[in-house]
Amino acid sequence: MKNILNYCLTLFAFLMLNFGGLALGSLWTDPGTSSVWYDTVLKAPWTPPGFVFGLAWTTIMVCFSIFTTSLYFKKIGKFNPIILISWILNILWSPLFFHLHWLWIAVLVIAALTVVIGKMIQDVRTQVGQEWLLLLPYFVWLNIATSLNLYIAIMN
């Protein structure tokens, strides 16, 4: 029972940390995909409807939180800086793209985040068992998001 409680508390902490990061980034995002600026930029033909972004990020953060909780218990006491780097890059992208409209810098940040998550998958695939699969939604979505960001940067 104590192990289950520890797991749940740790998972809750990672959920708060990851969703807190999204909330921090959203301080510069609102109204985001419904903003006048975003409505007027030329977007890729494969751009999904606005609600897909929220659904994707919710799924990603739940999966990432479960993954980091698993990693925490398998490597207790060891800090993995790549997780912190991914968290920072994720937060940085929103103000760069939505608030400052620094499209090319946002492309660099989201591309770097994609590489970081890809590297994380590569690094942990043999260490954590099947939990690395929890990173796949993040990696797939980042590839889509990078292509969307790149298209907007090129066309605008």
Side-chain angles (χ1 to χ4, degrees):
M1 184 69 168
K2 184 178 178 183
N3 288 342
I4 293 173
L5 180 60
N6 284 341
Y7 181 87
C8 290
L9 290 173
T10 304
L11 176 59
F12 180 75
F14 279 118
L15 285 166
M16 293 299 100
L17 183 66
N18 289 320
F19 280 100
L22 287 181
L24 187 58
S26 76
L27 292 175
W28 296 278
T29 303
D30 288 334
T33 58
S34 62
S35 71
V36 173
W37 172 78
Y38 187 75
D39 282 344
T40 61
V41 297
L42 296 173
K43 290 179 270 313
W46 59 93
T47 302
F51 77 91
V52 173
F53 292 87
L55 180 62
W57 281 110
T58 299
T59 303
I60 288 163
M61 286 301 117
V62 168
C63 288
F64 193 63
S65 296
I66 295 168
F67 169 78
T68 51
T69 300
S70 174
L71 196 64
Y72 174 81
F73 281 104
K74 289 188 178 197
K75 296 185 168 207
I76 195 152
K78 293 186 179 180
F79 175 72
N80 190 339
I82 200 166
I83 292 173
L84 178 61
I85 292 166
S86 70
W87 191 76
I88 291 168
L89 289 172
N90 202 352
I91 292 170
L92 279 176
W93 182 84
S94 292
L96 292 171
F97 184 85
F98 283 108
H99 184 69
L100 298 170
H101 308 155
W102 294 354
L103 303 178
W104 285 103
I105 295 175
V107 168
L108 293 175
V109 167
I110 200 164
L113 180 56
T114 305
V115 169
V116 164
I117 297 301
K119 175 82 170 112
M120 193 182 307
I121 289 171
Q122 180 183 359
D123 289 350
V124 302
R125 201 175 64 221
T126 59
Q127 299 172 4
V128 296
Q130 299 299 316
E131 289 96 337
W132 72 271
L133 293 168
L134 291 164
L135 293 174
L136 283 181
Y138 202 171
F139 187 69
V140 168
W141 181 254
L142 285 173
N143 279 281
I144 294 167
T146 300
S147 73
L148 296 172
N149 191 162
L150 183 59
Y151 186 95
I152 290 172
I154 290 169
M155 299 305 289
N156 294 279

